[in-house]
Amino acid sequence: MNVIDYLKKYGNISFTDKPFNEVDALVYSQLSYFDFSDTSCCNENLDYSLKSFLDNDYNKKRVAAIWNAKENHRFAMELKKSSRFYNSGVGFYRFDICNKTEKQFSACVFSITDSLYYIGYRGTDASFVGWKEDLNLGYLDVIPSQKEALDYFVNFASKYDGTYIIGGHSKGGNLAIYAAVMCYDRLKRRIIGIYNNDGPGFLESMLERKSYLEVKDR
Protein backbone atom coordinates (compact mmCIF):
# COMPACT_ATOMS: atom_id res chain seq x y z
CA MET A 1 0.00 0.00 0.00
CA ASN A 2 1.30 3.46 -0.90
CA VAL A 3 0.11 6.87 0.33
CA ILE A 4 -2.50 7.20 -2.41
CA ASP A 5 -3.90 3.76 -1.54
CA TYR A 6 -4.04 4.88 2.10
CA LEU A 7 -6.05 7.97 1.16
CA LYS A 8 -8.48 5.87 -0.86
CA LYS A 9 -9.02 3.44 2.03
CA TYR A 10 -8.89 5.72 5.07
CA GLY A 11 -9.22 9.24 3.68
CA ASN A 12 -12.76 9.78 4.98
CA ILE A 13 -12.24 8.36 8.46
CA SER A 14 -11.82 11.04 11.11
CA PHE A 15 -8.86 11.29 13.46
CA THR A 16 -11.31 10.53 16.28
CA ASP A 17 -12.24 7.18 14.75
CA LYS A 18 -8.73 6.37 13.53
CA PRO A 19 -6.04 8.13 15.59
CA PHE A 20 -3.05 9.81 14.00
CA ASN A 21 -0.44 7.31 12.83
CA GLU A 22 2.87 7.15 10.96
CA VAL A 23 1.20 7.16 7.52
CA ASP A 24 -0.64 10.37 8.39
CA ALA A 25 2.74 11.83 9.29
CA LEU A 26 4.01 10.81 5.87
CA VAL A 27 1.02 12.49 4.18
CA TYR A 28 1.74 15.78 5.95
CA SER A 29 5.46 15.42 5.25
CA GLN A 30 4.70 15.07 1.55
CA LEU A 31 2.41 18.10 1.69
CA SER A 32 5.29 20.19 3.01
CA TYR A 33 6.90 19.85 -0.45
CA PHE A 34 3.99 21.69 -2.08
CA ASP A 35 4.51 25.28 -3.15
CA PHE A 36 2.22 27.40 -0.96
CA SER A 37 3.87 30.69 -1.95
CA ASP A 38 1.71 33.70 -2.86
CA THR A 39 -1.24 32.32 -0.89
CA SER A 40 -2.69 33.10 2.53
CA CYS A 41 -0.64 30.14 3.79
CA CYS A 42 2.26 32.58 4.07
CA ASN A 43 0.51 34.37 6.95
CA GLU A 44 1.34 33.52 10.53
CA ASN A 45 -2.06 32.05 11.29
CA LEU A 46 -4.01 28.92 10.37
CA ASP A 47 -7.10 30.55 8.86
CA TYR A 48 -6.21 29.21 5.42
CA SER A 49 -7.15 25.58 4.77
CA LEU A 50 -5.90 22.77 2.61
CA LYS A 51 -9.38 22.87 1.05
CA SER A 52 -8.84 26.50 -0.01
CA PHE A 53 -5.47 25.63 -1.50
CA LEU A 54 -6.70 22.61 -3.46
CA ASP A 55 -9.94 24.28 -4.64
CA ASN A 56 -8.67 27.76 -5.42
CA ASP A 57 -4.90 28.05 -5.61
CA TYR A 58 -3.62 24.69 -6.74
CA ASN A 59 -2.16 23.97 -10.17
CA LYS A 60 0.37 21.45 -11.45
CA LYS A 61 3.15 24.01 -11.25
CA ARG A 62 2.84 23.82 -7.46
CA VAL A 63 4.45 20.36 -7.56
CA ALA A 64 6.51 20.64 -10.75
CA ALA A 65 9.75 21.50 -8.95
CA ILE A 66 9.74 18.46 -6.65
CA TRP A 67 10.36 14.77 -7.19
CA ASN A 68 7.82 12.82 -9.26
CA ALA A 69 5.48 15.71 -10.01
CA LYS A 70 3.00 13.43 -11.80
CA GLU A 71 2.46 11.27 -8.72
CA ASN A 72 2.28 14.33 -6.50
CA HIS A 73 -0.51 15.68 -8.68
CA ARG A 74 -2.37 12.37 -8.23
CA PHE A 75 -1.74 12.69 -4.51
CA ALA A 76 -3.23 16.20 -4.49
CA MET A 77 -6.33 15.12 -6.40
CA GLU A 78 -6.89 12.24 -3.98
CA LEU A 79 -6.58 14.63 -1.05
CA LYS A 80 -9.52 16.60 -2.45
CA LYS A 81 -11.70 13.57 -1.72
CA SER A 82 -10.34 13.09 1.79
CA SER A 83 -12.24 14.66 4.68
CA ARG A 84 -9.52 13.39 7.02
CA PHE A 85 -7.06 15.96 5.64
CA TYR A 86 -9.14 18.29 3.48
CA ASN A 87 -10.11 20.70 6.24
CA SER A 88 -6.69 20.96 7.85
CA GLY A 89 -5.63 24.52 8.47
CA VAL A 90 -2.38 25.47 6.76
CA GLY A 91 -0.13 28.39 7.60
CA PHE A 92 3.26 29.75 8.56
CA TYR A 93 4.66 28.77 5.15
CA ARG A 94 8.31 29.72 4.87
CA PHE A 95 10.68 29.25 1.96
CA ASP A 96 14.26 30.39 2.30
CA ILE A 97 17.14 29.59 -0.02
CA CYS A 98 20.55 31.24 0.17
CA ASN A 99 23.60 30.35 -1.90
CA LYS A 100 25.94 32.37 0.33
CA THR A 101 25.11 30.49 3.53
CA GLU A 102 24.38 27.23 1.67
CA LYS A 103 20.86 26.97 3.06
CA GLN A 104 17.70 25.49 1.53
CA PHE A 105 14.81 25.61 3.98
CA SER A 106 11.04 25.35 3.79
CA ALA A 107 8.33 24.46 6.28
CA CYS A 108 4.63 24.85 7.01
CA VAL A 109 2.19 23.99 9.80
CA PHE A 110 -1.01 21.95 9.56
CA SER A 111 -3.75 21.90 12.18
CA ILE A 112 -4.97 18.35 12.80
CA THR A 113 -7.49 19.31 15.51
CA ASP A 114 -8.12 22.52 17.43
CA SER A 115 -5.18 21.77 19.71
CA LEU A 116 -2.94 19.37 17.77
CA TYR A 117 -0.55 20.59 15.10
CA TYR A 118 1.84 19.02 12.63
CA ILE A 119 4.99 21.03 11.89
CA GLY A 120 6.28 19.81 8.54
CA TYR A 121 9.81 20.42 7.30
CA ARG A 122 10.60 20.03 3.61
CA GLY A 123 13.44 17.80 2.52
CA THR A 124 16.05 18.44 -0.13
CA ASP A 125 14.74 19.91 -3.37
CA ALA A 126 16.37 19.87 -6.81
CA SER A 127 18.50 22.97 -6.19
CA PHE A 128 22.29 22.82 -6.14
CA VAL A 129 22.43 24.53 -2.75
CA GLY A 130 20.05 21.91 -1.36
CA TRP A 131 22.40 19.12 -2.35
CA LYS A 132 25.41 21.06 -1.04
CA GLU A 133 23.72 21.45 2.32
CA ASP A 134 23.09 17.71 2.43
CA LEU A 135 26.82 17.11 2.02
CA ASN A 136 27.52 19.60 4.80
CA LEU A 137 25.42 17.47 7.14
CA GLY A 138 28.14 14.84 6.97
CA TYR A 139 30.78 16.86 8.79
CA LEU A 140 29.30 20.04 10.33
CA ASP A 141 27.87 20.03 13.86
CA VAL A 142 25.12 22.45 12.81
CA ILE A 143 23.89 23.58 9.39
CA PRO A 144 21.89 26.79 8.69
CA SER A 145 18.63 24.93 8.03
CA GLN A 146 18.79 23.27 11.44
CA LYS A 147 19.09 26.67 13.12
CA GLU A 148 16.15 27.96 11.10
CA ALA A 149 14.10 24.84 11.88
CA LEU A 150 14.49 25.52 15.60
CA ASP A 151 13.63 29.20 15.19
CA TYR A 152 10.59 28.26 13.10
CA PHE A 153 9.20 25.84 15.67
CA VAL A 154 9.76 28.19 18.62
CA ASN A 155 8.08 31.03 16.72
CA PHE A 156 5.01 28.93 15.93
CA ALA A 157 4.74 27.44 19.42
CA SER A 158 4.88 30.91 20.97
CA LYS A 159 1.67 31.75 19.11
CA TYR A 160 -0.26 28.47 19.30
CA ASP A 161 -0.64 26.49 22.51
CA GLY A 162 -1.43 22.82 22.26
CA THR A 163 0.46 19.66 21.45
CA TYR A 164 2.79 19.18 18.51
CA ILE A 165 3.88 16.52 16.08
CA ILE A 166 7.05 17.38 14.19
CA GLY A 167 8.25 15.62 11.08
CA GLY A 168 9.62 15.60 7.60
CA HIS A 169 11.00 13.50 4.80
CA SER A 170 14.69 13.28 3.90
CA LYS A 171 16.54 16.31 5.28
CA GLY A 172 13.21 17.49 6.69
CA GLY A 173 13.23 14.55 9.10
CA ASN A 174 16.66 15.56 10.34
CA LEU A 175 15.43 19.13 10.86
CA ALA A 176 12.43 17.86 12.83
CA ILE A 177 14.65 15.95 15.24
CA TYR A 178 17.03 18.89 15.63
CA ALA A 179 14.19 21.29 16.48
CA ALA A 180 12.72 18.85 19.01
CA VAL A 181 16.08 18.25 20.68
CA MET A 182 17.16 21.87 20.88
CA CYS A 183 13.90 23.62 21.85
CA TYR A 184 13.00 24.84 25.34
CA ASP A 185 12.00 22.19 27.88
CA ARG A 186 8.48 23.63 28.20
CA LEU A 187 7.98 23.11 24.45
CA LYS A 188 9.71 19.73 24.43
CA ARG A 189 7.13 18.44 26.89
CA ARG A 190 4.33 19.31 24.45
CA ILE A 191 5.81 17.31 21.56
CA ILE A 192 3.99 13.97 21.31
CA GLY A 193 5.62 12.60 18.17
CA ILE A 194 8.68 13.14 15.97
CA TYR A 195 8.84 11.56 12.50
CA ASN A 196 12.02 11.22 10.49
CA ASN A 197 10.98 9.65 7.19
CA ASP A 198 14.13 8.32 5.55
CA GLY A 199 16.19 11.26 6.72
CA PRO A 200 19.94 11.48 7.43
CA GLY A 201 21.25 10.97 10.94
CA PHE A 202 23.52 12.99 13.18
CA LEU A 203 27.09 13.08 14.37
CA GLU A 204 27.86 11.24 17.62
CA SER A 205 28.04 14.54 19.50
CA MET A 206 24.29 15.01 18.97
CA LEU A 207 23.33 11.43 19.82
CA GLU A 208 25.09 11.70 23.19
CA ARG A 209 23.28 14.87 24.27
CA LYS A 210 20.95 14.64 27.27
CA SER A 211 18.32 16.62 25.34
CA TYR A 212 18.44 14.05 22.52
CA LEU A 213 17.93 11.16 24.90
CA GLU A 214 14.94 13.00 26.42
CA VAL A 215 13.01 12.86 23.15
CA LYS A 216 14.44 9.69 21.64
CA ASP A 217 11.39 7.57 22.56
CA ARG A 218 9.08 9.94 20.68
Side-chain angles (χ1 to χ4, degrees):
M1 177 183 288
N2 60 28
V3 172
I4 293 175
D5 294 330
Y6 178 81
L7 291 174
K8 288 179 178 178
K9 186 171 183 178
Y10 300 109
N12 289 310
I13 301 176
S14 70
F15 286 105
T16 300
D17 294 330
K18 183 176 176 59
F20 189 95
N21 62 70
E22 62 271 16
V23 187
D24 297 316
L26 188 59
V27 169
Y28 284 118
S29 292
Q30 191 67 10
L31 274 168
S32 68
Y33 280 95
F34 281 25
D35 178 11
F36 291 104
S37 61
D38 303 317
T39 70
S40 297
C41 184
C42 297
N43 297 331
E44 290 202 342
N45 58 56
L46 294 167
D47 297 336
Y48 186 68
S49 68
L50 185 58
K51 179 180 185 298
S52 296
F53 175 73
L54 292 171
D55 287 351
N56 303 317
D57 296 318
Y58 179 81
N59 59 62
K60 291 183 180 180
K61 292 180 180 179
R62 297 282 187 183
V63 295
I66 59 177
W67 317 116
N68 207 338
K70 182 178 179 180
E71 287 301 301
N72 273 289
H73 177 65
R74 285 184 61 211
F75 171 63
M77 294 304 97
E78 202 61 45
L79 280 168
K80 291 188 71 169
K81 307 172 190 175
S82 170
S83 60
R84 186 173 177 86
F85 301 97
Y86 198 43
N87 293 312
S88 295
V90 192
F92 288 78
Y93 178 71
R94 187 187 297 182
F95 177 79
D96 187 6
I97 190 163
C98 178
N99 290 319
K100 183 176 180 180
T101 60
E102 297 180 343
K103 176 176 64 176
Q104 171 252 317
F105 177 87
S106 184
C108 56
V109 176
F110 304 91
S111 61
I112 300 169
T113 68
D114 290 340
S115 59
L116 177 61
Y117 307 97
Y118 185 91
I119 294 90
Y121 295 104
R122 183 182 296 180
T124 307
D125 61 17
S127 66
F128 175 79
V129 70
W131 285 102
K132 182 69 180 295
E133 191 175 41
D134 275 2
L135 295 174
N136 292 343
L137 267 173
Y139 69 94
L140 293 179
D141 288 329
V142 182
I143 60 170
S145 281
Q146 289 173 331
K147 293 180 180 179
E148 189 159 354
L150 174 61
D151 171 77
Y152 180 89
F153 173 55
V154 171
N155 176 59
F156 169 73
S158 70
K159 296 176 171 64
Y160 281 80
D161 289 332
T163 51
Y164 313 112
I165 299 169
I166 309 180
H169 164 257
S170 184
K171 184 182 71 180
N174 178 282
L175 301 184
I177 293 176
Y178 184 87
V181 169
M182 303 303 291
C183 70
Y184 306 127
D185 286 345
R186 62 181 175 81
L187 298 183
K188 197 181 269 91
R189 289 190 290 268
R190 287 154 55 187
I191 299 170
I192 63 172
I194 308 161
Y195 290 90
N196 179 4
N197 297 297
D198 199 27
F202 292 88
L203 300 178
E204 284 295 324
S205 56
M206 169 64 94
L207 303 181
E208 295 169 353
R209 295 180 69 104
K210 179 176 179 289
S211 54
Y212 175 84
L213 298 175
E214 288 173 344
V215 301
K216 186 179 178 180
D217 64 336
R218 282 172 275 175

